[in-house]
Amino acid sequence: MLKFLKGIFLTSLLLSGATTGFAEKLGLGRAALPEEIAAWDWDISPDGTGLPVGAGDAIEGEELFAEQCAVCHGDFAEGMGRWPKLAGGFDTLDDDDPVKTVGSYWPHLSTAIDYVKRSMPFGNAGSLSNDEVYAIVAYILYSNDLIDDDFVLSNETMFEVDLPNADGFIFDDRQETEYAVWSGGEPCMRDCKDDVKITMRARVVDVTPEDASSKASEASQVSVAPSKPEETGEQEEAPVVLASFDADLAAKGSKVFKKCQSCHQVGEGAKNRTGPTLNGIVGAPAGAIEKFNYSKALKKAAEGGLIWGEEELAGFLEKPKSYIKGTKMSFSGLKSEEDIAAVIEYLKTFEK
Amino acid sequence: MTDEKRETSHSRRAFLRGAAATGAGALVAGQASAGAEPDKLITEIQPWAQELGDGVDAVPYGLPIKYEADVIRRNVPWLTADTISSVNFTPIHALDGTITPQGCAFERHHSGAIDLKKEDYRLMINGLVDTPMVFTYADLERFPRENQIYFCECAANTGMEWAGAQLNGAQFTHGMIHNMEYSGVSLRSLLNEAGLDAAGDLEDKWVFVEGADASSNGRSIPMEKALDDVMVAFKANGEALRKEHGYPARLVVPGWEGNMWVKWIRRIEVTDQPVESREETSKYTDTLEDGTSRKWTWAMDAKSVVTTPSPQAPIQHGPGPLVITGLAWSGRGSITRVDVSKDGGKTWETARLAKPGTPMALTRFYLDTVWNGEEMLLQSRAMDDTGYVQPTKSQLREVRGLNSIYHNNGIQTWHVGSKGEVENVEVS
């Protein structure tokens, strides 16, 4: 490590002078309180420094994962769409397209615990208890066939798990492998090659966004006002009767909605994300949000006249995949009836 | 202004737009023939020369004029699952000079750009320090301040080009970079305020830095770098940081990969080991051909790109004088020289640096030349004051293979066709 650092920097004078080279203190700021440090200092290092006390196994983790993680990472940690795959990919690191997962690539288990605890779930970071963190990480390990389902992952057992790619990393060696080769000489200026041929063209691959040219932008500039969606008679006639409204319940629902908000936006400026916007969804016809690419199953239900009344929403939210078989919504469902009622009440507060 | 008059000037403008369009085409021919039609833009009084313009305060904070509406950040939707955890690209093909306006400087978020008021901002320094400290934004402004111009380049800039030419535009191939003048305080002065005696020998110590956003984007930085030139910045190009660049305060880690420039910086912990966070193990590591991966490849090596002509900025003026221009930078020092080739690397000529290179900042180069309509394979090659010469893509691949993704600083080739159209290509 020391040798490595010295290799990167030309001199270590800075450090040797560091303790003496500091200026006088200015007396700014205040001492941090222990509670404040505890509230923010969550990072966990490979040697176990910072590991929270807790435990969980893959069976507990499976349920939590389905609820909290599967929407992006898939029920089996296989990754939905372009969201990260967390499992599989073993022995692919020297392939043309390596599959880098927690199992195949990550060198330290502490990193997974640290990341799940501090930064996940997406849109509701830091909300998991320590036991839940261990359970979810255990499920990820189990999905990678790295532990058995009865293995209890905890701050004490973490070191019993070996990650396959633990030794797969080397320190930056550009100094020797690159800088030594590409530095120091006068580069060639004339007759550097006999022949030059085009070997690849971007146009053949054709993955550049279409709006990239200035012409395309000019065209889009013409219609400055956003084009209004075609209003259909159906939408106008959709029942918007809010027979009852319970503000306390809606407030509870705003908390439940955290589970939804990594995919669904509501309120002013809401846009379609992984899921469609949900403004005005209660009482609206299914599959009617402009420009959202619904699953075939949902389109079919919409054609069949499905209206998202409270009852229908409740059914869907309880078990999305059995209510509409083939829905893209990879969410296992809300278990508590009260949560379902609360989130629907919350959704009522957003008008179309 | 009466309605009637407004209508008149409006339709006149519409007419003139048409005239201007044909006028542009006639310009080249007009230079040669003495008997051409007089230019109505000169011989007729134009509305802008007759009527009155906007008063002051028409726009309390100005945006570029509408004719520049295509000079914007753009993203590549297929790259990421969601724009909240994604990146967009600086329109470098349409900019000149070296300073990147904040409004079009690329963004990279891991949990979205957050809304954090100065009043709600807290910066904690903890770990192996004499006294763990909390600073407010107001405290930060009372430390001695410095101004420095640095580039910030995402380690993944040009990453989509590792396996071959993919994206048709300098914005997409090289636009994960910006260059700003930062005002802020040295990290050294903040660490000093907390006191580093408790850390003992600093040579094997680190700082772990994290942001206030949900991703927190934690990274470990060796103490030597932390005490050298790292800043906590709160202004960029003279004004407050934009929300998307970490308002009210971000870390500036000169010359090192952009992921370490933690935005909304909220905590700096002195540690005796790197945390090996997700961002420094599973991401931002460079997988080599044999499957092993390099880590701690922080410095961004010397690199350059021709920004015009380029696919989004083709030659539209026909044969004659042509300005070829581009950007060069090195995370390990100053740019000393840029060479440009028009024939895919067979012959090179040395470009003019608009100003001498400065450490870890963008340098603008120009090659003032004459183009006679011949096809060109344009390349640029940067050198820095360590003597490093920017490698070709094949040189890079020989060492690293095809799966490296990050830290691609290979020489870029643009094919310029006889009509001035430009395409991203690779050459033998």
Side-chain angles (χ1 to χ4, degrees):
Chain A
M1 171 58 217
L2 285 184
K3 192 175 154 216
F4 166 73
L5 278 180
K6 278 180 186 153
I8 281 208
F9 299 102
L10 293 176
T11 168
S12 61
L13 276 179
L14 233 155
L15 280 180
S16 51
T19 37
T20 51
F22 283 118
E24 285 294 300
K25 291 191 185 190
L26 298 173
L28 293 170
R30 62 167 175 85
L33 300 175
E35 302 91 314
E36 293 170 333
I37 297 170
W40 277 7
D41 186 356
W42 285 11
D43 56 272
I44 302 162
S45 298
D47 71 354
T49 304
L51 267 182
V53 175
D57 65 25
I59 296 166
E60 294 153 6
E62 182 175 21
E63 201 172 319
L64 287 162
F65 194 89
E67 211 171 87
Q68 305 271 5
C69 323
V71 62
C72 298
H73 298 296
D75 287 338
F76 306 101
E78 77 279 16
M80 306 291 290
R82 293 199 63 84
W83 295 105
K85 292 182 190 353
L86 305 181
F90 293 101
D91 305 317
T92 65
L93 297 180
D94 56 355
D95 288 358
D96 284 347
D97 280 306
V99 179
K100 297 180 175 180
T101 71
V102 177
S104 70
Y105 192 63
W106 292 34
H108 307 290
L109 188 49
S110 60
T111 307
I113 300 169
D114 176 66
Y115 188 70
V116 171
K117 179 167 167 62
R118 274 193 301 136
S119 309
M120 288 286 119
F122 194 65
N124 196 14
S127 63
L128 300 169
S129 72
N130 293 335
D131 288 347
E132 287 173 332
V133 169
Y134 283 108
I136 285 171
V137 175
Y139 181 70
I140 295 168
L141 294 171
Y142 174 72
S143 303
N144 279 290
D145 293 324
L146 293 171
I147 57 168
D148 293 327
D149 59 3
D150 58 356
F151 180 83
V152 178
L153 182 67
S154 72
N155 50 309
E156 281 163 5
T157 63
M158 183 187 86
F159 293 100
E160 293 170 28
V161 183
D162 293 320
L163 292 187
N165 200 39
D167 299 324
F169 290 80
I170 56 167
F171 296 129
D172 186 356
D173 64 351
R174 287 178 291 179
Q175 190 81 38
E176 303 82 48
T177 55
E178 299 182 8
Y179 302 163
V181 186
W182 302 329
S183 301
E186 167 68 21
C188 176
M189 297 298 282
R190 309 214 142 265
D191 304 322
C192 306
K193 294 176 183 177
D194 293 336
D195 192 28
V196 175
K197 282 203 182 96
I198 293 177
T199 54
M200 201 178 291
R201 293 175 172 273
R203 263 176 224 160
V204 176
V205 189
D206 193 25
V207 289
T208 309
E210 281 180 10
D211 164 47
S213 75
S214 46
K215 273 187 182 168
S217 306
E218 270 168 30
S220 66
Q221 216 185 307
V222 175
S223 58
V224 174
S227 55
K228 278 184 188 162
E230 296 272 316
E231 283 178 24
T232 67
E234 279 170 339
Q235 271 168 304
E236 279 173 11
E237 284 161 24
V240 213
V241 189
L242 302 181
S244 61
F245 179 72
D246 181 338
D248 290 342
L249 191 60
K252 275 182 198 152
S254 75
K255 284 180 191 143
V256 181
F257 190 73
K258 284 187 176 168
K259 290 183 177 173
C260 321
Q261 68 191 13
S262 58
C263 299
H264 292 287
Q265 291 194 347
V266 288
E268 209 182 314
K271 286 181 188 145
N272 291 333
R273 309 218 71 90
T274 307
T277 61
L278 296 178
N279 290 340
I281 191 70
V282 184
I289 302 296
E290 286 270 313
K291 289 183 186 165
F292 185 77
N293 185 20
Y294 290 97
S295 63
K296 276 184 197 156
L298 206 124
K299 280 183 197 157
K300 210 176 153 196
E303 280 161 21
L306 175 65
I307 302 282
W308 287 127
E310 291 186 41
E311 203 175 306
E312 290 79 9
L313 273 175
F316 184 56
L317 291 176
E318 190 189 347
K319 279 202 164 182
K321 285 175 190 164
S322 32
Y323 195 83
I324 296 183
K325 284 206 175 75
T327 178
K328 285 201 299 189
M329 186 161 105
S330 180
F331 179 67
S332 65
L334 293 169
K335 272 170 210 72
S336 125
E337 270 180 38
E338 200 199 343
D339 281 358
I340 293 173
V343 85
I344 293 173
E345 209 67 6
Y346 175 65
L347 287 172
K348 284 183 191 169
T349 62
F350 297 96
E351 286 171 22
K352 199 169 175 70
Chain B
M1 195 192 270
T2 64
D3 281 349
E4 194 189 341
K5 195 169 176 191
R6 186 177 293 147
E7 198 167 283
T8 313
S9 66
H10 198 80
S11 57
R12 193 192 288 173
R13 279 200 196 101
F15 163 72
L16 285 169
R17 265 204 298 275
T22 46
L27 191 64
V28 178
Q31 286 168 337
S33 75
E37 286 281 303
D39 187 345
K40 286 175 181 164
L41 284 164
I42 297 171
T43 57
E44 291 184 1
I45 297 177
Q46 302 300 318
W48 57 84
Q50 187 167 42
E51 298 159 13
L52 303 175
D54 294 336
V56 296
D57 287 349
V59 187
Y61 191 99
L63 284 170
I65 195 164
K66 60 192 172 197
Y67 312 117
E68 297 294 314
D70 62 315
V71 184
I72 50 170
R73 300 183 274 232
R74 291 185 175 84
N75 80 354
V76 176
W78 56 263
L79 264 184
T80 52
D82 193 309
T83 55
I84 285 175
S85 179
S86 190
V87 65
N88 61 17
F89 303 83
T90 308
I92 52 170
H93 64 288
L95 302 176
D96 211 328
T98 56
I99 295 293
T100 315
Q102 287 202 69
C104 66
F106 85 100
E107 308 167 79
R108 169 76 170 107
H109 313 310
H110 293 77
S111 290
I114 57 166
D115 211 319
L116 179 56
K117 280 190 284 195
K118 284 178 182 168
E119 294 76 16
D120 294 344
Y121 177 80
R122 299 288 183 274
L123 175 63
M124 182 184 289
I125 312 246
N126 74 311
L128 302 171
V129 292
D130 304 341
T131 315
M133 299 292 293
V134 173
F135 300 112
T136 61
Y137 182 84
D139 292 332
L140 288 187
E141 284 193 329
R142 298 172 68 193
F143 282 90
R145 230 171 285 170
E146 49 186 68
N147 286 197
Q148 300 288 353
I149 298 174
Y150 294 122
F151 75 81
C152 170
E153 183 186 19
C154 177
N157 197 22
T158 324
M160 288 87 79
E161 306 290 310
W162 252 113
Q166 277 220 46
L167 290 162
N168 228 3
Q171 177 169 22
F172 301 108
T173 57
H174 290 76
M176 285 191 222
I177 191 163
H178 56 60
N179 192 64
M180 301 190 196
E181 184 197 41
Y182 294 98
S183 307
V185 302
S186 69
L187 177 53
R188 186 185 179 88
S189 62
L190 298 176
L191 290 170
N192 179 45
E193 200 65 15
L196 286 175
D197 289 343
D201 182 2
L202 296 178
E203 200 160 343
D204 59 355
K205 298 301 182 295
W206 296 72
V207 292
F208 179 71
V209 291
E210 69 179 23
D213 63 317
S215 79
S216 75
N217 193 71
R219 289 292 307 248
S220 310
I221 300 174
M223 182 61 85
E224 182 157 15
K225 178 71 175 174
L227 294 177
D228 182 9
D229 53 10
V230 176
M231 292 169 71
V232 171
F234 32 82
K235 296 272 164 76
N237 302 342
E239 60 177 358
L241 288 168
R242 295 285 166 89
K243 172 183 175 178
E244 62 270 33
H245 299 127
Y247 180 93
R250 82 171 306 166
L251 207 64
V252 168
V253 190
W256 287 19
E257 61 191 18
N259 182 253
M260 306 176 93
W261 295 47
V262 173
K263 298 187 286 190
W264 313 287
I265 180 84
R266 82 165 189 187
R267 195 169 70 89
I268 296 159
E269 179 184 0
V270 176
T271 61
D272 58 6
Q273 61 184 320
V275 168
E276 303 273 8
S277 73
R278 181 228 191 210
E279 305 300 330
E280 56 203 19
T281 53
S282 78
K283 303 286 169 183
Y284 304 100
T285 45
D286 312 301
T287 301
L288 305 171
E289 194 149 31
D290 67 357
T292 59
S293 303
R294 288 177 180 165
K295 65 175 184 177
W296 302 357
T297 46
W298 303 304
M300 301 304 293
D301 291 328
K303 183 167 171 179
S304 67
V305 64
V306 170
T307 51
T308 63
S310 66
Q312 296 161 286
I315 304 173
Q316 289 176 306
H317 54 54
L322 168 70
V323 173
I324 296 172
T325 184
L327 293 166
W329 60 94
S330 168
R332 297 197 303 132
S334 305
I335 292 297
T336 51
R337 178 171 136 190
V338 179
D339 299 326
V340 170
S341 173
K342 296 173 187 167
D343 56 11
K346 274 193 217 173
T347 52
W348 295 86
E349 43 195 315
T350 298
R352 173 169 64 87
L353 302 186
K355 284 183 182 176
T358 58
M360 301 168 287
L362 293 190
T363 301
R364 170 66 60 177
F365 66 85
Y366 295 103
L367 187 73
D368 308 298
T369 190
V370 174
W371 180 60
N372 293 312
E374 71 274 19
E375 289 192 29
M376 293 189 285
L377 289 166
L378 278 183
Q379 299 185 330
S380 63
R381 180 176 67 191
M383 293 175 68
D384 70 17
D385 57 5
T386 70
Y388 180 90
V389 182
Q390 184 184 357
T392 62
K393 288 188 178 183
S394 357
Q395 282 177 308
L396 275 180
R397 287 178 191 144
E398 266 170 45
V399 178
R400 302 192 207 163
L402 286 177
N403 287 327
S404 196
I405 305 176
Y406 304 108
H407 304 102
N408 179 1
N409 68 323
I411 289 172
Q412 171 67 41
T413 311
W414 303 127
H415 174 255
V416 180
S418 57
K419 293 183 185 121
E421 75 280 15
V422 186
E423 185 184 5
N424 176 11
V425 298
E426 280 202 19
V427 292
S428 55

